[in-house]
Amino acid sequence: MKKDFLLLTVALPSLLIALPSFAAESEIKERTTDKLTEVISDIPSLSEIGLPATNAELLTQQSAPSEVEPETEPDDADISIEAIAEPDNLPQSTPTYVIDKEEIKKQGASSLADILKRMPGFAINDVGHGADIHTGTYYRGASINQSVFLINGRPINNNVNTYHGGTDLNSIPVEAIERVELYSGTASALFGSSAFGGVVNIITKEGYGKPKFNASAEFGSLNLNNQQVTYGGSSNNVKYNFSFERFFTDNRYRVPVGAANRDEQGFLFNADTATSTYFGSIGVDLDQKNSLNLDVTALSSRRGLIYFGFPLQRDRLDHDGLNIGLSWKTRLGNGESSNLTTSIGYNQDYFSTYGPTGAFYRTGVLDTQQLTARVDHEWKITSNNKLRWGLDLKNTDLTGDVFSTNPSRVANNGTQDRSLFNTALFAVNTWNISDNFLIDLGLRQTFDSQFGNYLNPSVGLRYAVTPLVAVRGSWAGAQRNPGLDQLYFYDTVHGWDPNPNLRPETGSTWSAGVDVNFSQNLIGQFTYFGSSIGDRLGVTAGRWENIGLVDTNGLEVALQFRFAAGWSTFLNYTYTDAQIKTGSDRGLQLGLIPYSVLQTGLGYENAGWQANLYVTYNSGARRSIFVNASDKATDFAPSFVNLDLSGRVPLASNLGLTFYLENLLGEQYERVNRIYSPGFTFRVGLSANL
């Protein structure tokens, strides 16, 4: 199967280049008309309104050109071919939220989870001091494996569900991230059938102009230390960027009686975290029509686990990851109406969980290796009709090794190796019916060696009622297949049995919303969202099963207001009702998902000085672990309010003092499942640009 896959990755790009070549011959000659078709009314398109209405620029001053820091601007005035065939050319019937590198810096983010936690729709528990790797990342009520995570348009999800193998949001150095894009609806047809929640695309930095060296060192509470360095630039037709980040915190702090993993001295136990992440990219503009780009990301993570902390949890988790991608971008013909991107990727995730349990010892290893290939063609057929279509290929090999000295589990010891091949054809066609009305139609036809063939359609529309108000809606079918680990691999850490008879999770998602320009300085987006997921996967009596139906409904609000020069503010609010419809928990909220999450902030920036105040409200989530006699299935963690302050003080033209004060109120709130925050913490550092 691997040989077949490699032959396909070589032959298919050549075949698909030939098919759309006649697009160049039918290219639109009236270039001015061609440009006008990109705007359907005076109100910005969703991809445009999404930027100011979310954290991409929420606390970023709209500076005059002379105030822009030199290192943020390319030194070369040449037009780069990297501007073509990018994955951000997306359907406009659902919001596209973007957060850029400048806002990421201001927020003091130290992981992708830190970046996502202030974006609309997200409820993230596994972030910050004391957080465990698998205590919940949810977008619109969907878990991390029910959304699609990409790096430069390539998948990084491995669909591993046991041994704490969910997508590690620490796997990419923050310093290497140019921006993070978040989208849903018909856009999900482009990247995977499993996107019940949405699609998170991490775009990494490229080098521009003269070589630059950026570095930062940060120290803080709980022995936290974090060092980041980046070196990037360009020479003639070659661009390069290299980043490294090292992070450590011992997370040893006092927790109240009844807290998870509380040791004899009253401290949180086994919660230390150490990661080293590496990133490098090299891009070459071959000519005016063709470019190649290679990027490599590597992760080494060592941490303790605390989630199942009754009695004291002592298991450790080692995670090593490697992601390599090679992409070729080309303009077909002489214009810009036909662009092709071909990419080949390799992704490996190695998870090893080990530790004592009473008088016995156990280990569990899952090693995933994936080969991927993608051909993505963007074609403007006419002035009002745009087609994006292509092919995805993915071959997955999963090797598992189980060992336990517990006599009741010895029979499960051994090694297994399973493979899966998945192919998908995708297409999204956008018609501008008139100057103020468009329709997106999407299809994704999947061929899976385990679960056969299935089709997921999607549809979206957007109508500009006035130059200031636009309404939109979308619907998409989805299917998420069980992971190979859930089907075939015994989980020796939790004692969970696999189930080869599992059925895929199937259902649909929908949204309806309105975008409003209240004034030149106030923009708002309001989105009702919902999903219905049947045959949801879960563990019953120590065995993976299809446990039933979950219906989700919610409201997402994103507001941005600029009221004076240098000042800005934002407010993001998400209400999520993820109701279990079958089984013994029928009528209850899905565990770990809060009903309400509100994020708001106020920022000021002037002459290199920055101050950003953030407020978080969390209504508390229903617990999923009930180990005390007094516990009830309806128990919720209490609500809490968190107040954070970040800032920068310029010390020289290329040197600044940064600080981040977290939980200014000092409340030691319960994050989830009796895992408590440490109260007030601080981080202080220096950042330099050379």
Side-chain angles (χ1 to χ4, degrees), residues 502-630:
L502 291 174
R503 300 180 300 277
E505 297 177 332
T506 57
S508 59
T509 65
W510 55 88
S511 69
V514 58
D515 304 326
V516 183
N517 282 357
F518 293 101
S519 68
Q520 184 177 0
N521 295 323
L522 178 60
I523 299 174
Q525 289 180 283
F526 307 86
T527 304
Y528 162 76
F529 62 85
S531 66
S532 182
I533 304 177
D535 282 329
R536 187 179 177 91
L537 296 169
V539 177
T540 301
R543 176 183 167 92
W544 283 102
E545 301 283 357
N546 293 101
I547 60 176
L549 175 67
V550 174
D551 284 347
T552 300
N553 292 274
L555 176 66
E556 192 177 276
V557 177
L559 295 171
Q560 185 266 338
F561 180 51
R562 299 183 185 277
F563 52 88
W567 291 88
S568 60
T569 186
F570 77 95
L571 184 147
N572 294 330
Y573 171 75
T574 304
Y575 173 82
T576 307
D577 181 8
Q579 190 175 123
I580 302 170
K581 307 298 288 187
T582 57
S584 59
D585 289 337
R586 181 177 180 179
L588 297 179
Q589 175 83 338
L590 201 63
L592 310 182
I593 301 177
Y595 280 110
S596 292
V597 175
L598 182 143
Q599 298 273 0
T600 186
L602 175 68
Y604 178 73
E605 179 180 12
N606 185 34
W609 294 79
Q610 294 177 11
N612 304 286
L613 182 66
Y614 301 96
V615 180
T616 301
Y617 167 75
N618 187 303
S619 66
R622 189 173 75 91
R623 298 188 179 113
S624 64
I625 302 297
F626 307 98
V627 296
N628 299 320
S630 59

Side-chain angles (χ1 to χ4, degrees), residues 418-498:
R418 297 281 178 166
S419 295
L420 181 70
F421 184 66
N422 184 283
T423 306
L425 296 169
F426 61 86
V428 175
N429 204 173
T430 299
W431 282 282
N432 290 320
I433 305 301
S434 66
D435 288 344
N436 58 355
F437 182 53
L438 66 79
I439 295 178
D440 296 316
L441 294 177
L443 290 173
R444 189 175 183 90
Q445 175 66 55
T446 304
F447 308 89
D448 190 275
S449 64
Q450 181 77 35
F451 294 99
N453 308 334
Y454 49 93
L455 177 68
N456 296 115
S458 59
V459 60
L461 59 86
R462 182 176 187 274
Y463 177 64
V465 181
T466 74
L468 301 178
V469 178
V471 295
R472 50 181 162 75
S474 69
W475 176 91
Q479 174 171 322
R480 175 182 170 254
N481 299 328
L484 289 172
D485 59 323
Q486 295 170 307
L487 292 166
Y488 303 113
F489 293 80
Y490 176 70
D491 182 346
T492 188
V493 174
H494 304 112
W496 295 342
D497 288 315

Side-chain angles (χ1 to χ4, degrees), residues 370-411:
Q370 290 180 334
L371 288 171
T372 63
R374 179 180 176 90
V375 179
D376 191 337
H377 180 221
E378 295 177 3
W379 179 20
K380 183 167 289 185
I381 303 173
T382 68
S383 60
N384 63 349
N385 190 359
K386 182 171 60 178
L387 174 65
R388 184 170 175 185
W389 69 290
L391 172 70
D392 274 330
L393 302 172
K394 180 168 67 175
N395 189 83
T396 303
D397 286 307
L398 179 58
T399 301
D401 189 15
V402 172
F403 174 79
S404 176
T405 60
N406 189 330
S408 65
R409 299 188 180 185
V410 168

Side-chain angles (χ1 to χ4, degrees), residues 249-301:
T249 179
D250 65 15
N251 279 328
R252 182 164 173 77
Y253 54 87
R254 290 194 177 275
V255 291
V257 175
N261 243 42
R262 184 178 187 267
D263 66 12
E264 296 81 0
Q265 289 78 39
F267 287 87
L268 182 65
F269 174 78
N270 199 44
D272 57 290
T273 298
T275 61
S276 295
T277 49
Y278 308 81
F279 171 79
S281 72
I282 299 177
V284 181
D285 291 338
L286 303 176
D287 53 39
Q288 291 183 345
K289 292 185 177 182
N290 295 276
S291 68
L292 285 174
N293 190 84
L294 173 69
D295 63 82
V296 180
T297 306
L299 164 73
S300 177
S301 173

